[in-house]
Amino acid sequence: MLYPVPAVLVTVADKEGRPNVFTVAWTGTVCSNPPMVSISVRPQRYSYHCIEETGEFVINLTTKKLAFATDYCGVKSGRDVDKFKEMHLTALPAKEVKAPLIAQSPVSLECRVKQTIPLGSHTMFVAEIVSVSIDDAYLDEENKFHLDWADPIVYSHGTYYDLGKALGTFGYSVAKKKNKNNEKK
C-alpha cells in the first residue's frame, strides 16, 4: 500500500543495439553518494533480458503529455510492436550507455547495473546513475530545474494521476518566518 509511485519509461537496447521502451512503476532512489536508483522488473518482460545482457538502462521521467504512451508501453510488448514508432517517441543517443533517451522526457537518467537481486515475481536492478540529461525547456533563466513545469505523473492502484500544487520545500517547517518587510526574524 505504498502509493502513489512514479510511473517511468525505461529504455533499453539489446546487444545488437535494438532499442525498446517499457513502463516501470516500481522504481526509486536508493543512494545519493554515489547516485543510485532501482527498478524492479518481471523476468518474463521482453526488456528484462536486455538489461541482463547489457547491464544498462535509462529511466525517463513521464509527464501528462506522455501518459498515454506510458500506459501503452506498459501493456504492449516489444516482442510484438515497435513502441517508439507506435507512440511517436523520439530516441536520442545517450552519453554513457547504449540504451537511448526519450526526447519527450523532461529528465533521463542513464544507469549501469551494480547489483541484481531476484525477489520472487520481480528482480530488482540496483544501478548507478552515470549521466543525467535535462530538457532545457524546464530550466529557468538561472538554470534552476522546474519539474512541475513538465506536469509529472504518478501511478496508484491501476490509475495514473498528475501531481497537485506544491505544499512547501524541504525545510519549510523549520524555516524562520519573514516579517512584513521581508526581513528574516
Side-chain angles (χ1 to χ4, degrees), residues 19-171:
N20 190 45
V21 55
F22 69 111
T23 304
V24 171
W26 292 352
T27 184
T29 303
V30 295
C31 188
S32 57
N33 189 16
M36 297 181 79
V37 292
S38 71
I39 61 171
S40 292
V41 182
R42 289 184 190 150
Q44 299 84 358
R45 298 286 299 260
Y46 177 70
S47 293
Y48 176 90
H49 302 290
C50 295
I51 297 170
E52 219 177 23
E53 285 177 2
T54 65
E56 299 178 341
F57 60 87
V58 177
I59 295 175
N60 301 274
L61 299 189
T62 55
T63 65
K64 226 188 227 186
K65 287 181 182 176
L66 287 170
F68 187 85
T70 301
D71 184 64
Y72 183 90
C73 291
V75 296
K76 292 291 189 176
S77 174
R79 286 182 189 97
D80 306 322
V81 297
D82 178 344
K83 293 183 265 185
F84 279 98
K85 181 180 175 189
E86 292 299 316
M87 290 292 101
H88 308 287
L89 298 173
T90 307
L92 296 175
K95 294 174 188 161
E96 299 292 329
V97 301
K98 289 189 174 80
L101 312 179
I102 296 175
Q104 293 84 352
S105 176
V107 178
S108 298
L109 309 172
E110 297 176 41
C111 303
R112 282 207 181 97
V113 175
K114 294 295 181 187
Q115 190 174 7
T116 302
I117 307 167
L119 300 171
S121 64
H122 289 69
T123 296
M124 179 185 291
F125 295 101
V126 178
E128 185 172 355
I129 300 169
V130 295
S131 185
V132 176
S133 296
I134 298 172
D135 185 332
D136 290 343
Y138 305 106
L139 297 175
D140 65 18
E141 60 280 348
E142 295 173 4
N143 277 337
K144 181 181 177 192
F145 177 66
H146 293 274
L147 183 61
D148 56 317
W149 293 358
D151 293 323
I153 61 172
V154 295
Y155 182 79
S156 182
H157 296 282
T159 303
Y160 300 93
Y161 294 93
D162 61 357
L163 295 179
K165 65 179 182 166
L167 302 176
T169 58
F170 180 77

